[in-house]
Amino acid sequence: MASKPDQDQLDYRAIIEQVPAIVSIAQTGADGRWLYVNGWIERILGYSVEEWLATPTVQRPFHPEDADWVIAEERRIETEAPDEEFVGEYRMLHRDGHAVWLRDTGKLITDANGRRRWYAVLYDISEQRTSAEELERQSAAQAAVAQLGEHALERIAIDELLNEACAAAARVLAVEMTAVVQVGIDQDSLDLRATWCALAIEPLLHVPSIDPGSQIGVALRTGRPSVIEDWRLESTLRRGAGMANADARSSVCVRIEGHEVPWGCFEVISSRPRAFTSTDVSFIQSLANVLADAIERQASEDAIEHRSLHDALTGLPNRTLFADRLDQAFERLRRRGNSLASILFIDVDHFKQVNDALGHQAGDELLISIAQRLREAVRPTDTVARRSGDEFVVLLEEIISERDAITTAERIAAGFARPFVLGAGTHFVTASIGIALADGYMSATELLENADTAMYRAKERGRARYELFDEDMRVRAMARMRIESDLARALDHGELRLAYQPVIELSNEAMYGVEALLRWDHPTRGPIPPSEFIPVAEESGLIERIGRWVIEEALHHAARWAQMRPDAAPLRMGINISTHQLQSPRFPEMLAEYMASAGVAENVVHIEFPERVLLDDAEPVRRALRQLSEIGVALVLDDFGTGESSISHLIDLPLRTLKIDRTYVAALTTERRESQVARALIAMGQALSLRVIGEGVETAQQAIALRQLGCQAVQGFLYSPAVPAAEITALLGAGARVTRTLG
Ligand code: C2E
Ligand code: MG
Ligand code: MG
């Protein structure tokens, strides 16, 4: 423009300045420069006319996505089609960084000097473009939210959902980075759970402490979305390490709600300034809400599952989960074949005693500490479970030999050696442990039963110890199981009956009373002695029903025999009672009811119990015994001399009679040491003013010796074995005398 502008040209310029568009004239080619630009350059792109004119045309502030194609198209027209018009829509970046959509119509015009120049008009079409884009984005946003919701309903894993949300937000909003962060259990730290990132940055995985003045801090606290259009203009919020790391220029942060406290945040970050619209923000919030619902549901499902598989008190796996782990262990065992698995069955000794004496609260505390000590005694890969009450099981996998199982049992025992500090005080507790080993050929149930059997052996052998399951135990366990299942039917099938053994008064050899003894005529195995089936009945709990039947049956006969001889002293009825029955708090009451309904006087009934009932859970048993004595029932200590009771146990019990066990009676007429013990036992009974009955008297010499020592009564084969009720009836009819002429 060397020539001086004339009046006409100036007018044109004035008009051109009025056109609401950028109007420019420029040289062609890669090194082209601006010849003219009107003032709208500043209104539309923020650059002053001087600034604009000072930069080469190739350095126009194109949006990075548009620069290449625009320049290529210009070059094409310049070299190949100079008559073609350039028409295109593209973005340039405003001086402040935001994108501006322009419609460019340019034409090559040859000037007076014969040089081609670009004459261009650029309209700002941002508004049109954004509203079209906005519409498109809105429907994409709706589709994304709907799809995420659908996937959430399909129970897709939470981490997958988080990733999907990140990708969807990045795609729909065309931002460089999105992230989901979760608040730690400490309520202070943040962990990155998912991210979508187009930038080459290392995302920040963990923030140890939430800055309350950061965008996340604010969003978490207020629950309102926080939108920053340009971090460079932000003066109140701090950008924080995560945002700085991502070089954020603009960002949105919304809260993901949680059950009681916020779960975390959803962040959308752009490296350019950006005015997020309210639609954008509500889209981000919708994604966050779908995530919150899915997380919440998953958490409650997890909680339900956890509850159904764990013991509420100790938090240990329960029976169901243990069974599952056991099955899995067996599968692995069969596949690998070169290792062993072992189960330790652990039963707390005298737990009931602690529970009764200290209360359930203390009992619970004890179980919780036991659970903890068990966990400490095993490897992290081993399973410790609570089976029931005071029974625990440990599953050891991949062990080499039984030595490993024994070592663990010893560690467990060592754990019990330390006192348990409970709210109610410090207590020592022991445990009985049964160990069983399995190879791939055994069933899981078998293994568990074997460990259980071994645990019983440990109990039998005095508790506070472990026992290893062996073949001998297996045979006995099988027999016991068979008895148990047969016994369950025996009562209903009338296979049980009572036999009565006369108790003879030594002074006149008259039948003073009888002892009711249970008999089982097994349909195929013949008679089974009480010593074999009564312990089984006690263990299985069947003793309760059987015991009630014994009482009813014995009282029925006692009443009949009393009616036979209304003037004579009634025949005493000895009934054997096991520990289990005495532990039932209703027992004395129940017996009184039965006596009343059978019409039997209180002094007729003699309750026989062995010494060992005084050892386990002594207090409730003693209470029951005292109550029985109060209603007039006589208490007879059976098998005296075989148990471990001390004299002090006997002194404060309202005992009436001692029965000297037949092993001492048998020893009486020999030179054996037991003979001396027998004498001492009888003397002890006398010293306590108790009636003493000798059991199992088989010879006249034994009867004579007993009489000399001051024993009042005897029973035994010398006079009569236990006989059917009819024989007792006959004996009563004949005067009730069973003379053996002792001389
Ligand atoms: P126990 O109460 O000490 O019963 C005495 C046992 O000695 C009976 O054995 C009886 O048959 C046996 N006996 C009696 N005289 C002689 C004799 O001269 N020589 C020998 N060698 N034995 C003699 P049984 O009937 O086998 O009963 C064993 C144990 O079973 C009983 O010992 C008792 O503790 C228990 N028992 C029996 N019936 C019942 C019952 O109905 N309920 C409960 N809980 N236990 C019972
Ligand atoms: Mg007895
Ligand atoms: Mg006895």
Side-chain angles (χ1 to χ4, degrees):
M1 305 234 181
S3 63
K4 181 175 167 269
D6 59 23
Q7 192 55 46
D8 289 350
Q9 275 175 313
L10 283 176
D11 284 341
Y12 284 131
R13 281 201 190 184
I15 290 168
I16 285 168
E17 290 297 333
Q18 295 300 309
V19 177
I22 301 168
V23 178
S24 63
I25 303 172
Q27 294 172 339
T28 56
D31 51 358
R33 304 201 65 92
W34 299 104
L35 301 175
Y36 168 78
V37 71
N38 70 353
W40 280 81
I41 189 71
E42 187 149 14
R43 305 262 289 269
I44 295 176
L45 288 176
Y47 294 93
S48 70
V49 172
E50 290 71 33
E51 274 176 313
W52 194 259
L53 292 178
T55 7
T57 57
V58 280
Q59 283 179 22
R60 273 166 284 175
F62 284 115
H63 185 282
E65 280 169 26
D66 293 335
D68 293 346
W69 75 262
V70 174
I71 291 178
E73 180 67 1
E74 287 174 355
R75 291 293 166 275
R76 188 187 65 80
I77 294 175
E78 288 169 9
T79 53
E80 297 167 20
D83 296 328
E84 237 176 70
E85 205 172 308
F86 175 101
V87 181
E89 292 183 3
Y90 55 82
R91 285 159 292 176
M92 281 213 231
L93 300 178
H94 189 276
R95 198 172 193 276
D96 70 10
H98 81 264
V100 178
W101 273 102
L102 301 165
R103 175 178 297 122
D104 183 353
T105 44
K107 182 126 184 70
L108 285 172
I109 292 175
T110 309
D111 68 10
N113 303 325
R115 277 172 297 212
R116 285 210 192 104
R117 307 288 188 216
W118 276 110
Y119 283 68
V121 181
L122 290 90
Y123 289 98
D124 180 354
I125 54 162
S126 293
E127 241 163 71
Q128 284 154 263
R129 272 310 276 232
T130 34
S131 59
E133 247 175 29
E134 184 86 339
L135 274 178
E136 212 172 285
R137 211 164 52 219
Q138 254 177 43
S139 69
Q142 277 163 3
V145 172
Q147 180 155 46
L148 189 69
E150 233 167 78
H151 289 164
L153 285 179
E154 284 165 11
R155 305 273 194 279
I156 283 185
I158 289 299
D159 282 309
E160 255 176 72
L161 277 186
L162 300 182
N163 282 322
E164 186 183 331
C166 285
R171 179 171 41 82
V172 171
L173 298 171
V175 291
E176 289 76 14
M177 186 176 171
T178 54
V180 174
V181 290
Q182 182 180 5
V183 179
I185 350 176
D186 53 14
Q187 292 304 312
D188 193 33
S189 59
L190 284 175
D191 288 295
L192 184 71
R193 282 293 301 268
T195 183
W196 188 97
C197 190
L199 311 168
I201 56 158
E202 279 297 316
L204 205 63
L205 296 178
H206 179 79
V207 173
S209 182
I210 300 170
D211 176 0
S214 69
Q215 193 178 21
I216 289 181
V218 167
L220 281 176
R221 196 171 60 249
T222 62
R224 283 191 298 276
S226 162
V227 182
I228 302 292
E229 294 188 7
D230 190 346
W231 275 106
R232 290 197 190 151
L233 309 176
E234 178 59 30
S235 55
T236 44
L237 291 186
R238 280 185 290 275
R239 200 157 67 137
M243 296 277 180
N245 194 37
D247 200 19
R249 270 301 287 281
S250 59
S251 58
V252 179
C253 185
V254 301
R255 188 160 89 175
I256 300 173
E257 300 299 338
H259 179 50
E260 266 153 9
V261 288
W263 183 87
C265 278
F266 192 35
E267 293 177 281
V268 168
I269 296 165
S270 172
S271 39
R272 285 193 296 272
R274 172 157 177 170
F276 289 95
T277 63
S278 62
T279 334
D280 292 341
V281 175
S282 65
F283 162 61
I284 299 168
Q285 186 68 66
S286 300
L287 292 177
N289 294 349
V290 173
L291 294 179
D293 285 350
I295 291 163
E296 169 85 45
R297 204 194 36 244
Q298 172 91 53
S300 69
E301 278 171 8
D302 287 354
I304 289 169
E305 176 165 288
H306 188 271
R307 242 177 287 147
S308 70
L309 293 178
H310 290 79
D311 164 45
L313 180 67
T314 61
L316 291 179
N318 63 12
R319 243 171 212 267
T320 318
L321 183 54
F322 186 77
D324 193 51
R325 297 255 174 100
L326 196 54
D327 284 346
Q328 286 172 12
F330 267 79
E331 234 162 72
R332 282 190 286 270
L333 207 56
R334 273 188 281 271
R335 267 206 309 274
R336 293 208 193 107
N338 59 348
S339 64
L340 294 168
S342 172
I343 284 187
L344 309 189
F345 207 110
I346 301 145
D347 189 285
V348 183
D349 298 328
H350 304 296
F351 176 73
K352 199 168 175 299
Q353 217 161 303
V354 177
N355 219 28
D356 289 344
L358 305 176
H360 286 277
Q361 169 79 30
D364 284 355
E365 271 178 62
L366 180 59
L367 290 172
I368 292 168
S369 347
I370 287 174
Q372 199 176 333
R373 288 201 192 166
L374 290 176
R375 277 247 56 106
E376 285 163 9
V378 303
R379 299 167 301 179
T381 46
D382 299 328
T383 304
V384 179
R386 183 171 174 220
R387 261 181 80 77
S388 65
D390 59 345
E391 276 180 2
F392 296 87
V393 270
V394 173
L395 169 65
L396 307 176
E397 275 194 79
E398 283 186 56
I399 56 169
I400 308 301
S401 74
E402 61 181 41
R403 195 57 244 165
D404 294 333
I406 290 172
T407 312
T408 308
E410 279 167 352
R411 262 205 310 275
I412 289 173
F416 275 89
R418 284 180 284 134
F420 289 89
V421 183
L422 312 176
T426 300
H427 285 267
F428 281 93
V429 180
T430 58
S432 301
I433 306 171
I435 307 171
L437 291 159
D439 45 37
Y441 302 101
M442 188 185 279
S443 79
T445 334
E446 246 178 292
L447 177 62
L448 203 56
E449 277 167 7
N450 291 352
D452 188 23
T453 305
M455 189 276 290
Y456 266 106
R457 170 72 71 90
K459 289 261 184 224
E460 276 168 15
R461 293 196 166 166
R463 298 185 169 88
R465 56 185 292 140
Y466 61 82
E467 287 290 335
L468 205 65
F469 181 82
D470 61 26
E471 181 55 23
D472 178 40
M473 272 190 221
R474 198 182 62 79
V475 172
R476 291 197 313 141
M478 295 261 294
R480 197 163 59 190
M481 269 160 55
R482 211 169 60 201
I483 287 180
E484 187 174 325
S485 66
D486 289 355
L487 191 58
R489 290 194 323 258
L491 195 56
D492 302 325
H493 290 195
E495 293 166 22
L496 296 182
R497 61 186 175 81
L498 286 182
Y500 299 91
Q501 184 175 42
V503 182
I504 309 296
E505 191 72 29
L506 276 175
S507 60
N508 58 5
E509 295 192 298
M511 179 167 61
Y512 161 83
V514 291
E515 174 176 7
L517 292 163
L518 194 52
R519 296 289 173 261
W520 179 10
D521 299 316
H522 191 282
T524 55
R525 298 167 62 201
I528 299 181
S531 57
E532 264 184 48
F533 70 86
I534 286 190
V536 177
E538 286 178 348
E539 270 169 31
S540 63
L542 276 169
I543 194 70
E544 242 164 86
R545 267 181 68 213
I546 293 176
R548 275 202 298 274
W549 177 84
V550 166
I551 290 168
E552 253 183 311
E553 181 74 7
L555 290 179
H556 166 74
H557 281 106
R560 280 202 28 215
W561 292 326
Q563 278 162 14
M564 273 180 71
R565 304 184 309 165
D567 303 325
L571 199 60
R572 302 303 195 283
M573 176 61 75
I575 301 175
N576 291 287
I577 292 299
S578 63
T579 314
H580 208 87
Q581 289 168 283
L582 277 178
Q583 277 169 347
S584 154
R586 281 235 331 120
F587 181 73
E589 199 183 324
M590 186 200 79
L591 183 66
E593 279 165 21
Y594 278 133
M595 288 192 305
S597 80
V600 172
E602 294 75 20
N603 62 351
V604 168
V605 178
H606 285 208
I607 289 296
E608 298 193 10
F609 61 94
E611 278 178 85
R612 75 187 111 82
V613 309
L614 296 173
L615 295 178
D616 285 353
D617 299 322
E619 206 30 57
V621 167
R622 286 172 171 275
R623 204 177 308 132
L625 290 173
R626 279 193 292 270
Q627 272 173 319
L628 286 172
S629 162
E630 277 158 24
I631 60 174
V633 169
L635 299 183
V636 178
L637 186 68
D638 208 349
D639 308 338
F640 187 49
T642 59
E644 298 166 29
S645 58
S646 64
I647 306 180
S648 64
H649 271 132
L650 306 179
I651 290 173
D652 59 338
L653 269 185
L655 278 184
R656 196 79 67 77
T657 304
L658 285 183
K659 277 195 171 181
I660 305 292
D661 190 69
R662 70 165 177 269
T663 53
Y664 293 105
V665 171
L668 207 55
T669 50
T670 67
E671 295 300 309
R672 303 212 311 266
R673 246 183 84 84
E674 286 93 328
S675 169
Q676 299 301 319
V677 179
R679 285 160 209 275
L681 291 175
I682 296 168
M684 194 189 294
Q686 281 172 332
L688 294 168
S689 312
L690 299 173
R691 251 173 82 81
V692 178
I693 300 180
E695 271 190 308
V697 176
E698 294 180 354
T699 66
Q701 290 101 297
Q702 289 166 348
I704 292 164
L706 286 167
R707 191 174 58 186
Q708 277 170 356
L709 290 168
C711 211
Q712 283 89 355
V714 292
Q715 62 187 100
F717 296 165
L718 174 65
Y719 290 97
S720 168
V723 295
E727 282 187 38
I728 301 292
T729 311
L731 202 56
L732 285 177
R737 289 182 66 82
V738 196
T739 318
R740 288 296 177 266
T741 7
L742 300 177

